[in-house]
Amino acid sequence: MLTQDQKDFYDENGYLMVENVVTPEQLAKLQEITYAMIDASRGLTESDDRYDLDEGHSAERPRLTRIKLPHKQDPYFWEILTRSGVTEVLNGLLGPDTLINTSKLNTKAPGGGAAVEWHQDWAFYPHTNDDLLAFGLMLEDVDEANGPLMVIPGSHKGPVLSHHVNGVFAGAVSPDDPDFDLSKAVTLTGKAGSMTVHHVRTLHGSAPNMSDRNRLILFYELARADAWPILGASSYIHALGQRKFWDDIQARMVTGAPVLEPRLEQVPVRMPLPPAPDNTSIFKTQKTAGQKSAFAVM
């Protein structure tokens, strides 16, 4: 599905937009499932293991921040990842052996759905190499008004910026960081059925949704199978046991087979430690610490 020019653009800039990555029929089914899941949240009064509720959520007006792990909630999200144009893009960029780290369906509600502060995904989960990326499949049209993804081209080749505030990992960069240049930001808008790609080290964020429409983006976070996590793996194995850990690796394979020889590359790493106290939300920690938002100055 990808041309060599598209692959070269991704390598150089750390992001890509792929149009019409799913068929109209696939898109319609994804929309149907998603709106049914949103409708099913009406009876909730607090977030749970399936949904993160947004401010003002009610039975009459369901407002969500995200649907968690959609690929585990409905098999069609897994089918799209493993047997569609999405799969072709994945193999074109990461090769034949790939696995999923996580998924989420960000359902940024209309009329002020929350911003996502600028950050690098790499800051949360460093690996032995940086052949990791995130797909953002647009389930509705995304324009300037409803909080599109924004990226800083070429930032995937630069440093890992500090995501700490007052000595704890807050999960976002400071607008005052000298290596953060907001003037270079590119806004990624597109029609439903299109998909953004961004490298794990690419600086990105999104503004609030100021429109009267949902901004529905299905995110898959993926890795080449020879990229192994360098933080938490040993404790994870201990907690699960080797057999369950191996079963988990196999269950997360999207294409190909597990790779037992991690590829070690000279990539910059900052550990996401120490954690914020009491498992506080990363962005809430940032705001509590008094760090201003980059979006406040746009």
Side-chain angles (χ1 to χ4, degrees):
M1 173 169 277
L2 294 181
T3 67
Q4 189 58 49
D5 285 346
Q6 286 175 305
K7 294 178 184 179
D8 292 343
F9 183 93
Y10 173 76
D11 289 342
E12 180 65 25
N13 294 280
Y15 77 94
L16 188 65
M17 172 70 80
V18 185
E19 297 180 344
N20 303 316
V21 74
V22 293
T23 67
E25 293 76 19
Q26 289 170 328
L27 175 62
K29 186 168 181 178
L30 287 167
Q31 292 171 331
E32 178 184 358
I33 293 169
T34 298
Y35 281 108
M37 294 174 80
I38 294 173
D39 191 61
S41 74
R42 291 178 182 272
L44 295 179
T45 57
E46 60 183 23
S47 299
D48 61 12
D49 59 356
R50 296 184 66 197
Y51 302 102
D52 280 336
L53 306 188
D54 200 353
E55 292 183 11
H57 173 84
S58 66
E60 295 75 26
R61 190 185 180 207
R63 290 174 59 86
L64 305 179
T65 300
R66 70 180 51 84
I67 297 169
K68 303 174 184 178
L69 298 174
H71 77 283
K72 291 189 174 183
Q73 295 200 42
D74 191 291
Y76 196 65
F77 293 110
W78 182 253
E79 181 177 330
I80 288 295
L81 178 59
T82 57
R83 294 192 296 278
S84 77
V86 175
T87 325
E88 295 180 43
V89 175
L90 175 64
N91 292 146
L93 294 176
L94 292 185
D97 302 314
T98 63
L99 56 79
I100 185 170
N101 282 328
T102 191
S103 69
K104 56 190 174 184
L105 207 168
N106 285 358
T107 58
K108 190 177 290 188
V116 175
E117 301 292 346
W118 286 91
H119 66 283
Q120 294 162 294
D121 295 340
W122 183 249
F124 294 85
Y125 43 85
H127 281 58
T128 58
N129 65 72
D130 64 357
D131 269 339
L132 298 91
L133 49 72
F135 289 161
L137 179 57
M138 301 174 182
L139 303 188
E140 296 287 2
D141 294 351
V142 176
D143 58 27
E144 296 274 359
N146 64 350
L149 181 70
M150 303 170 70
V151 298
I152 298 191
S155 55
H156 67 306
K157 296 183 176 182
V160 181
L161 276 59
S162 172
H163 289 62
H164 287 70
V165 175
N166 292 346
V168 300
F169 183 71
V173 304
S174 169
D176 298 323
D177 191 305
D179 289 314
F180 174 57
D181 186 354
L182 187 60
S183 69
K184 295 181 179 179
V186 172
T187 300
L188 303 183
T189 60
K191 294 292 186 181
S194 298
M195 185 174 79
T196 63
V197 185
H198 66 267
H199 188 273
V200 71
R201 284 170 53 194
T202 298
L203 271 162
H204 62 286
S206 66
N209 179 4
M210 303 310 295
S211 75
D212 59 358
R213 297 168 287 108
N214 285 301
R215 194 217 66 175
L216 304 179
I217 300 184
L218 172 61
F219 283 100
Y220 297 106
E221 296 180 11
L222 303 145
R224 185 164 155 165
D226 64 4
W228 283 75
I230 63 175
L231 178 68
S234 60
S235 59
Y236 185 43
I237 293 173
H238 178 74
L240 284 180
Q242 286 186 323
R243 170 51 59 186
K244 288 185 178 179
F245 178 75
W246 177 241
D247 291 344
D248 177 66
I249 291 293
Q250 291 182 303
R252 291 193 289 115
M253 295 304 302
V254 178
T255 58
V259 176
L260 298 183
E261 296 181 6
R263 179 165 50 88
L264 304 175
E265 297 285 354
Q266 290 288 338
V267 287
V269 168
R270 289 177 185 250
M271 289 301 182
L273 296 170
D278 303 322
N279 295 317
T280 305
S281 162
I282 54 173
F283 298 117
K284 197 174 292 183
T285 301
Q286 178 205 37
K287 291 177 175 61
T288 301
Q291 182 175 338
K292 68 183 180 182
S293 166
F295 295 105
V297 296
M298 288 183 64

